[in-house]
Amino acid sequence: MQNKIISIISSVCNISEKSTGKIVDIVKYKNYKKGESISTVGQMNNLEYFITDGICKSFLSTPEGEDITISFFMSNSIISPSTTRNKDGNSVINIQALTDVEIATIDATEFEKLMIEDLEIRDFGNSVLRNELMAKVQKEIALASLKGMDRLLLLRKSFPNIENQIPHADIASYLGITTISLSRLRTQS
């Protein structure tokens, strides 16, 4: 498991073995079953998440009860940082396992202390935040400016093979289209 965490960290930013070791030392591991909730709106949440295996989504529910997928998180990735997911210590989004998932967690307060103490870890944390911001901006631009087929092609490029691993309703919601429209687009491509 440690090698997976080290690989995730190095995919974001190159930091020394010493600094990586400080992060690995505070990691705890947890498994979630497909469909299980990792975090819910209003729940106290002070964790950072590294997905070592599996797929998760972040989502919100409309007043009518419809789930709107915000993001997908694949194996070897980091779920949106705690500072972007929480307000006053409580989650503002839901996170759910779409497959069985292995997750490494870090207490966000402990991680913040490491960021203060260690410049390399601070650079890593800032890189994670920058990547999160870029992903959100790119999704906004895609939703505002691309046709459905182009959004589907971008999804395939960003999340290879995801269509064969998770429910199409989640993909359609992420793309801002109906499941019927997604089905039509998939037959055209």
Side-chain angles (χ1 to χ4, degrees), residues 89-121:
N90 295 319
S91 183
V92 295
I93 61 171
N94 300 299
I95 302 170
Q96 180 183 41
L98 294 176
T99 64
D100 288 350
V101 179
E102 282 180 346
I103 293 183
T105 65
I106 297 175
D107 181 275
T109 304
E110 286 184 54
F111 185 70
E112 285 176 26
K113 287 178 188 172
L114 286 179
M115 286 179 65
I116 292 166
E117 298 167 4
D118 188 311
L119 183 60
E120 287 185 297
I121 294 174

Side-chain angles (χ1 to χ4, degrees), residues 138-166:
Q138 288 172 348
K139 183 181 179 201
E140 281 182 26
I141 291 169
L143 285 172
S145 65
L146 298 177
K147 293 185 179 205
M149 179 59 81
D150 294 324
R151 282 185 255 155
L152 177 59
L153 295 174
L154 183 60
L155 172 99
R156 288 174 175 167
K157 182 179 175 186
S158 301
F159 305 104
N161 202 31
I162 195 168
E163 291 172 86
N164 299 323
Q165 299 177 36
I166 66 167

Side-chain angles (χ1 to χ4, degrees), residues 38-105:
I38 297 165
S39 181
T40 56
V41 170
Q43 173 188 13
M44 184 70 140
N45 186 304
N46 192 38
L47 296 174
E48 303 292 356
Y49 300 100
F50 295 76
I51 300 183
T52 56
D53 190 42
I55 303 172
C56 298
K57 72 172 180 175
S58 61
F59 70 99
L60 289 169
S61 298
T62 66
E64 295 78 27
E66 179 186 359
D67 289 346
I68 306 296
T69 302
I70 299 168
S71 297
F72 294 118
F73 304 97
M74 308 285 281
S75 297
N76 304 312
S77 69
I78 300 171
I79 290 179
S80 305
S82 174
T83 56
T84 67
R85 291 182 286 105
N86 296 318
K87 182 176 182 186
D88 301 325
N90 295 319
S91 183
V92 295
I93 61 171
N94 300 299
I95 302 170
Q96 180 183 41
L98 294 176
T99 64
D100 288 350
V101 179
E102 282 180 346
I103 293 183
T105 65

